[in-house]
Amino acid sequence: MRLIAALTLFLGLFGFGGQAFAADEPSSPHFALSVDDTTLTPGQVGTLSVTFTNRQATPVTFLYTTVYASETGSAAHREFTGCTGASWCEVSAPAVRFNLVSPAVPIAPGDSRTVTLPFRFTPDSDCTAGGTVGFSIYYFYYEYAQGTYQGGQFTFPPVDGNLVCPPTP
C-alpha cells in the first residue's frame, strides 16, 4: 500500500500523473452566425449565414446541425423562407435542420462551409410593438476519422434581427 502511495506521489510530482493517461479531447467545432440586415420591416427578407469551420485534424465526413430562432414581441412572427448551401435541409418553425456534407465532399481540416437561410417577419407582424428574432445553434452532430462528436452551442448573445416599421413617406 505504501509503495503504491509513494509511486503515485512520485508520478504526480514529476508530471507523469493523470495527464499522461488522459485521452485527447476532440477539438470543438466552430460555428459563426451573421445576418445581412439587423433591422427588417414586415415582409422584408433578410439572410442568416451559418459558417462551420472544421477544427479537426481529419476531414469531417458528416455534419447535422439545427439552428433555432427565438422571438420576442407579442405580434412579431418570423419564418424561414429557404436554405442554400446544404446537401439536405428541412425548414420548420422555429428551427432549420441541415446536413452540410453528405453526399458532398467532406470538409477538410481548416476548411469552412456556409449555409444561407433567408428569413422574414411575416407581413402581418405588428411593427408598432417591435420584436426581435434571435438565432443560435441549438444542436449539432458530426463524424470524423477518430469518431463522432455531438453537443450544443448556444450563441451568446444570439445573432439578432429586429422588426421595425417602414419609414413614413
Side-chain angles (χ1 to χ4, degrees):
M1 204 63 154
R2 287 184 212 167
L3 178 61
I4 292 173
L7 190 56
T8 302
L9 178 62
F10 174 78
L11 291 173
L13 288 174
F14 291 100
F16 297 111
Q19 296 163 330
F21 303 108
D24 289 338
E25 287 293 317
S27 299
S28 63
H30 178 68
F31 290 93
L33 282 69
S34 63
V35 292
D36 65 342
D37 193 348
T38 58
T39 57
L40 302 168
T41 59
Q44 180 185 357
V45 176
T47 302
L48 169 68
S49 295
V50 180
T51 301
F52 170 80
T53 301
N54 179 7
R55 291 186 175 174
Q56 298 297 330
T58 60
V60 168
T61 56
F62 180 81
L63 174 65
Y64 173 86
T65 306
T66 301
V67 175
Y68 185 75
S70 60
E71 64 186 43
T72 60
S74 60
H77 305 286
R78 50 73 191 109
E79 63 185 2
F80 288 105
T81 60
C83 176
T84 58
S87 55
W88 169 86
C89 193
E90 176 186 60
V91 177
S92 63
V96 174
R97 295 164 190 83
F98 56 85
N99 178 354
L100 272 179
V101 181
S102 180
V105 176
I107 304 170
D111 282 355
S112 299
R113 291 236 175 107
T114 300
V115 173
T116 55
L117 306 167
F119 71 96
R120 69 180 186 157
F121 289 100
T122 59
D124 63 341
S125 292
D126 180 5
C127 63
T128 60
T132 299
V133 60
F135 301 103
S136 60
I137 298 295
Y138 179 71
Y139 173 81
F140 59 88
Y141 169 87
Y142 72 97
E143 297 174 357
Y144 60 103
Q146 284 80 26
T148 63
Y149 186 85
Q150 65 181 335
Q153 179 179 325
F154 297 94
T155 310
F156 292 107
V159 175
D160 291 336
N162 298 295
L163 177 65
V164 296
C165 290
T168 53

